[in-house]
Amino acid sequence: MNPGDVNLQQLLEQAQLMQQQLVSAQQELNDAEVQGSAGGGLVVATVNGGGELLELKISPEAIDPGDPQETADTIADLVIAAIRDAVRAASDLQQEKLGPLAQGLGGGGGLGQLPGF
């Protein structure tokens, strides 16, 4: 074998290892739960690491029985903000778990780290 030749067996082993690591990281993300909140904790959204909404809690203190329309509008805004906060946290977790795997592919899914490419 010449020094510049690609060892296909080694390349396949590296690809299989990276695939196993990716599957493991994705499972960790699906199992992870992160929270986002709004209104000082009046609304709390829980999502998994993939950004899927799992739970939404609205504190009774968020409700003003004297002004149902304003309360409904405020709660809607707080729900949106809490979900956005939770999804941002899930995105950060995804970057933490999957970022190193992307680096192994040359940073953007390329083949920069693989020999011969």
Side-chain angles (χ1 to χ4, degrees):
M1 177 181 285
N2 294 328
D5 288 346
V6 175
N7 181 335
L8 290 180
Q9 183 62 33
Q10 182 182 12
L11 190 60
L12 286 173
E13 289 172 5
Q14 287 176 344
Q16 287 174 336
L17 178 61
M18 288 186 72
Q19 182 180 13
Q20 290 170 352
Q21 291 171 335
L22 180 60
V23 167
S24 176
Q26 288 173 329
Q27 185 60 49
E28 284 181 45
L29 285 172
N30 286 335
D31 293 342
E33 292 184 8
V34 293
Q35 291 185 333
S37 65
L42 291 176
V43 176
V44 177
T46 303
V47 300
N48 68 13
E52 178 184 359
L53 183 63
L54 301 174
E55 183 177 27
L56 183 66
K57 292 182 183 178
I58 301 172
S59 172
E61 288 84 30
I63 301 169
D64 179 2
D67 193 352
Q69 183 59 53
E70 180 65 27
T71 295
D73 293 343
T74 299
I75 290 175
D77 290 341
L78 291 174
V79 166
I80 290 169
I83 291 172
R84 284 183 179 155
D85 188 42
V87 168
R88 180 206 42 79
S91 178
D92 291 348
L93 183 61
Q94 288 172 3
Q95 182 61 36
E96 177 185 319
K97 296 289 185 187
L98 299 176
L101 293 174
Q103 293 300 320
L105 291 173
L111 297 175
Q113 297 291 322
L114 299 176
F117 291 91

